[in-house]
Amino acid sequence: MTLFACFHCGEDIQTTEHYSVLIGEKEHQMCCLGCEAIAQTIVDNGLSSYYEFRTENAEKSSIIPDELRQFDLYDHEDIEIDFVRFQQKHQQDYKEVTLSIEGMVCSACAWLLETRLNNENGVVCFRVNASTNRGLLSWDPNETKLSTLLHSIHQIGYRASPFEADKQEAHYQKILRQYLYRLGIAGIATMQVMMIAIALYFEVFSDLDSEFKSYLRWVSALFATPVLMYSAFPFYQNAWRSLKARTLSMDVPVSLALLFAYIASLYATWFEQGEVFFESISMFTFFLLIGRYLELRARHVSAAFSANLLKLIPAMATLSNGEAIAVKRLCVGDTIIVKAGDTVPADGVITTGTTQLNESMLTGESRLISKTTRDTVFTGTINTHDVITVTITTKKNDSLLARIIQWQDEAHVDKPKIVLLADAVARYFVFFILVIASVTFSVWFTLDPDQALWVTLSVLVATCPCALSLATPTALTSATSRLSKMGILLKHAHVLETLCRINHVIVDKTGTLTQGNVKIIRTDIFDKTYDENTILNFAAALEKHANHPIAHAFSNHLTISSSLTSSKIETSNITNHLAQGVQGQINGQTWRIGHAQFSCPSHQKNNSYSVWLSCEYAPIAAFVLDDPLRPDSQRFIEYCRKAKLSVSMLTGDHSHHAQAIGNQVNIHEIHSGMTPEGKLAYLRQLPTSDITLMIGDGMNDAPVLAGAHLSVSMGSGTDLAKSSADIVLLRDQLSSLIIGQQLALKTKRIIQQNLAWALGYNLIILPLAVCGLVPPYLAVVGMSLSSLIVVGNSLRLLK
């Protein structure tokens, strides 16, 4: 007996039996069957990195883990760090994860999952998107565990795991292959059964014995049986899930139609009396599978954007010392080398080098962006020219790319009122169909028993509300994906709906209408004790504690030497007064920089200056600043005017520059010197008929962004502004909103068209089917085409 340590739990191996698991490219020994099973489960779930980054050995296990034990793996901190985000809402800390969900086919599945999990203890919110097969789960870790919630999902017939782009892509390909296998069997069987059915219907064998006709029916049953048992199995599976959860999905009437038709046909074949429907069973399954297959492909196309973004993150990075390291292990403060042609592995700041980066994968803008020392680079962008060194500034889960993906997931799972209404109508419509089908069978059985079954089957099939449940989510998912590719990120689903209704646009000035590239064009000194270099040093020393485009204008002056600043300036007691300025101690004196009223309260001000610098509240200097107008600002305001939208500008700037910018872009309502509270107060005093769109980029815009009906943040804005906004413009182009509103209006029209078609089709086909005017094969074709028309119409939004 050889003594080794178990790779999983670390205990000595005291058995002659051999247990091992292949982890990576190396086989590792285990001490028992339980550790082997758990280690294999970790590998099978794509979590092998746990062994690379764990800080201590796992606990020993002597049993084979069941499903719940498998889910327990996701509670381990070393594994959890890769996919769980920490959030705060209403002063409550909670965890959030994006889940891939297997087994979903329609909106009823999403409703079932949401209903089940939102009733679980500790769940803050669970929202599911049937188009992407993804869900966004938020929970309180003090009340429940992720493994418990995943097991609850498993109990109702679905399987969920943390979203991974590669894993979901592999699962998608697997499902696609299964559909093709089922389609192939259904298609071959349909051709064979239809040949026999045509011969029987047109009495080609009318001169033959009844025994031969019976033989042909048994041949039809032989071909139809694998279709019913294998090809149609997903329909029974989904129907059983919904019935077990005491709800009704679209697969319930479909399954009932197939099973009743098969049982009735077998009865007719066995007793040699009555009609058989084997050809209808085969054809129905075949067409329904074609519809599901095409819907699956369409949903995958419209939802692929955020999944593809994850693939942009490289697996490895190179540290400044030349050492290769896994991107997962990068920490804030690490310095990495990014060579020409390499993908940037993490957000950071360039420390050495000048280059050009391709940021089209994030912003949709194909033009190369020049970057040099102190400029920020983002995860997933491509270095196209020279070698640069980058210092990491954010964790992997806090990168811009990670936040884009998170915003996309939130938008996809967030449901506007029209989606909730359509889902509710679809669920009640299924119950209505079952009632109508029961009544139809009873009436026809009384009038003509031979026709009762096939008429009932036509009712069940023709009126299945597949198109109704697909009408809205497919359109919204397609529109959201299209906007994302153009650098317009929607964080909430109501955005498209509200964009169609806005009538009042409110814009900030600095960083919104202007580029936010503020420059000092003149410095006027009132106290001649100080020279200009000293003034700029003092101003920069204070402004480095602020996060505003105006503060950035002073950053390059901090290292300027002067006669009075031979050493580094030491500041203390710094206080940042939001939207007013910065106060601090320099050489034992109180210095202030900011608005005139803040810096020099008792001094007679000149509105030509944007920023004032004071010592003990006495004016020392004032600065005239310039901030160029964005190239498309005038075009955007002109569009608003033509669309008959009211436009207002709210800015914290007291200077003449605010009025000059307003005049330049033709904005007549200008409110300058506004505090964050003042901006919010302005918003609240507007009439209730005003549907407001607020555009901003700074910390002082966060309250009004949160308070507006719809809010937009520039991509270069502060994190607080972006977290408060409903839309983020990654390209920093106001003209993107023009495209956004036009696409929102087109989406509204397409949703209306989809709903009109879905409801109109059902209203027309239902009385025809009840009256026996729609044979089963036409019911099958009609239902499938109805769904495909809705999906195809929605996909026009991707063009």
Side-chain angles (χ1 to χ4, degrees), residues 360-381:
S360 61
M361 60 291 300
L362 298 182
T363 65
E365 178 61 64
S366 59
R367 180 172 55 89
L368 295 179
I369 308 297
S370 297
K371 298 278 185 175
T372 188
T373 307
R374 289 185 172 182
D375 286 342
T376 302
V377 294
F378 301 106
T379 308
T381 58

Side-chain angles (χ1 to χ4, degrees), residues 290-310:
I290 287 178
R292 291 282 170 90
Y293 175 80
L294 294 176
E295 287 169 21
L296 181 67
R297 293 288 300 268
R299 291 205 306 265
H300 182 261
V301 169
S302 63
F305 178 76
S306 58
N308 290 338
L309 284 178
L310 276 174

Side-chain angles (χ1 to χ4, degrees), residues 540-702:
L542 293 171
E543 288 285 21
K544 75 176 183 178
H545 298 280
N547 185 16
H548 190 277
I550 290 178
H552 299 162
F554 292 87
S555 60
N556 292 330
H557 298 281
L558 187 57
T559 57
I560 297 176
S561 62
S562 70
S563 58
L564 296 179
T565 56
S566 57
S567 60
K568 184 179 179 182
I569 297 174
E570 297 292 339
T571 57
S572 61
N573 300 326
I574 299 296
T575 305
N576 196 333
H577 298 266
L578 188 62
Q580 298 184 62
V582 180
Q583 174 182 312
Q585 296 286 320
I586 300 178
N587 300 331
Q589 295 177 303
T590 299
W591 287 74
R592 283 189 168 195
I593 187 169
H595 290 319
Q597 188 63 39
F598 170 76
S599 301
C600 321
S602 59
H603 182 72
Q604 186 175 0
K605 273 71 68 177
N606 182 338
N607 284 335
S608 298
Y609 301 109
S610 300
V611 176
W612 289 71
L613 179 68
S614 69
C615 178
E616 300 295 345
Y617 305 103
I620 301 298
F623 307 93
V624 177
L625 307 178
D626 180 56
D627 187 8
L629 192 70
R630 289 191 186 276
D632 61 341
S633 293
Q634 196 160 358
R635 178 188 166 203
F636 173 69
I637 300 301
E638 184 181 349
Y639 171 81
C640 293
R641 294 286 183 198
K642 289 182 178 179
K644 297 182 179 179
L645 307 177
S646 303
V647 182
S648 306
M649 184 173 78
L650 308 183
T651 177
D653 194 349
H654 286 272
S655 69
H656 291 310
H657 189 245
Q659 187 64 50
I661 291 293
N663 293 337
Q664 195 173 347
V665 297
N666 196 26
I667 296 178
H668 304 303
E669 186 180 348
I670 302 170
H671 300 271
S672 58
M674 298 284 282
T675 63
E677 294 78 10
K679 291 182 178 182
L680 188 58
Y682 170 82
L683 191 70
R684 288 174 174 170
Q685 59 85 33
L686 291 174
T688 54
S689 58
D690 281 17
I691 308 299
T692 53
L693 170 68
M694 174 66 200
I695 313 172
D697 76 312
M699 292 178 65
N700 58 332
D701 296 317

Side-chain angles (χ1 to χ4, degrees), residues 287-296 298 466-467 470 754 757 781-795:
F287 279 111
L288 198 59
L289 285 172
I290 287 178
R292 291 282 170 90
Y293 175 80
L294 294 176
E295 287 169 21
L296 181 67
C466 298
L470 291 169
N754 287 349
W757 168 260
V781 173
M783 188 272 291
S784 299
L785 285 178
S786 178
S787 298
L788 293 178
I789 287 171
V790 164
V791 173
N793 193 39
S794 297
L795 289 181

Side-chain angles (χ1 to χ4, degrees), residues 179-193:
Y179 267 107
L180 287 174
Y181 295 152
R182 298 181 195 279
L183 260 173
I185 290 175
I188 292 171
T190 299
M191 287 188 291
Q192 304 304 320
V193 176

